[in-house]
Amino acid sequence: MFPRLPFKMKKEIILKPIGIIHTPYKEPEGMPIQGKFERDITGQVEIFPEYIQGLKDIEGFSHLILIYYFDKAKEEKVIGKPFLEDKLHGIFAIRSPMRPNHIGFSIVKLKKIEENRITFSEVDILDNTPLLDIKPYVSHFDSRDDVKNGWLDKHFTSGKIPKRVRIEKRG
Amino acid sequence: MFPRLPFKMKKEIILKPIGIIHTPYKEPEGMPIQGKFERDITGQVEIFPEYIQGLKDIEGFSHLILIYYFDKAKEEKVIGKPFLEDKLHGIFAIRSPMRPNHIGFSIVKLKKIEENRITFSEVDILDNTPLLDIKPYVSHFDSRDDVKNGWLDKHFTSGKIPKRVRIEKRG
């Protein structure tokens, strides 16, 4: 089926949580579609003690990229509905947790670091989510001009944030 | 050691490659520090056939987020040196592959989709890298103003891109 693939390409990749993300969201209902749209809610990252040294110098960054595991997502889909509309899209054109690998990605705003706890705002993550990685958000690397946002642009034409929030259980 | 943690939090997380990233970079030497700084080089994502449907509607996006596995990174560090300078920083304040989970993250520019192949530019990924996820880059979600970039800002004060490229083997 994959004649040109070296065998190792089909191998499992084993990762481990490096901490836990604590947030006020116990369920997907009521969570904003993206953290950027809910600036007053805060969450906390609790890093396991063996990784505390890794936090050195992150206090100079205003924003962090959190990469985490959607551990509540039990299904894998190739087609799905986003929160913003009822049309089906390919899973790689939306941010649904029910993707082939349940990897989540959020940009959050750093508020405070105390030992192994990072307080942040701009939260769109469920409580008790296993954390996989933290990377510094670097505007010189991560911002882009002239962006086309596919099916999403029509929801932002007014310049306003769409009011829709997550209202369905999405596993 | 983690008295407050539910046992499941220490559990392994098992992911699988959903495709392969092909690029002209066989070794880290000569790769740009970020893909944004090398706009003429192209790479290709080859998605495994079972996920092709997931590509529906991604052609409307100008940029994609690729999440992949640094399979050549054999070490895990909590402190490391970035490509831009010789000073040590916490691993979560730099983008080094030698992080506790070897997860890579790049924003690339979509050029063309043909069946299960996506051609993109703005490449900073090694050839034959296992792909874990594709997400649409959405400026409404992923851009931030008033960003402070910690130790990195001093390298960009001239408004120019730092000339330094990757010159050491970094596994």
Side-chain angles (χ1 to χ4, degrees), chain B residues 89-105:
Chain B
H89 298 281
I91 201 77
F92 304 124
I94 64 177
R95 298 286 191 102
S96 164
M98 289 178 282
R99 30 207 331 110
N101 288 307
H102 297 152
I103 299 174
F105 159 86

Side-chain angles (χ1 to χ4, degrees), chain A residues 78-79 89-93, chain B residues 18 45-48 51-61 64 110 113-118 131 134:
Chain A
V78 288
I79 292 280
H89 298 280
I91 200 77
F92 304 125
Chain B
I18 61 162
V45 166
E46 176 189 357
I47 294 282
F48 297 152
Y51 305 115
I52 288 184
Q53 262 199 295
L55 301 180
K56 179 175 156 30
D57 303 321
I58 72 161
E59 71 280 357
F61 293 86
L64 300 174
L110 174 57
I113 304 166
E114 294 161 303
E115 293 182 18
N116 70 330
R117 293 199 160 243
I118 304 168
L131 178 69
I134 301 174

Side-chain angles (χ1 to χ4, degrees), chain A residues 135-152:
Chain A
K135 297 181 193 284
Y137 178 85
V138 180
S139 58
H140 312 292
F141 302 164
D142 302 321
S143 70
R144 291 293 185 281
D145 300 321
D146 298 322
V147 174
K148 280 196 306 170
N149 300 290
W151 64 267
L152 276 139

Side-chain angles (χ1 to χ4, degrees), chain B residues 10 16 20 23 26-27 34 37 39 42 54-55 64 93 96 117 134 150 164-165:
Chain B
K10 299 298 285 178
K16 69 260 174 182
I20 305 172
T23 80
K26 308 290 178 201
E27 313 203 4
Q34 284 283 319
F37 305 146
R39 302 203 184 245
T42 60
L55 301 180
L64 300 174
S96 164
R117 293 199 160 243
I134 301 174
R164 189 153 173 169
V165 295

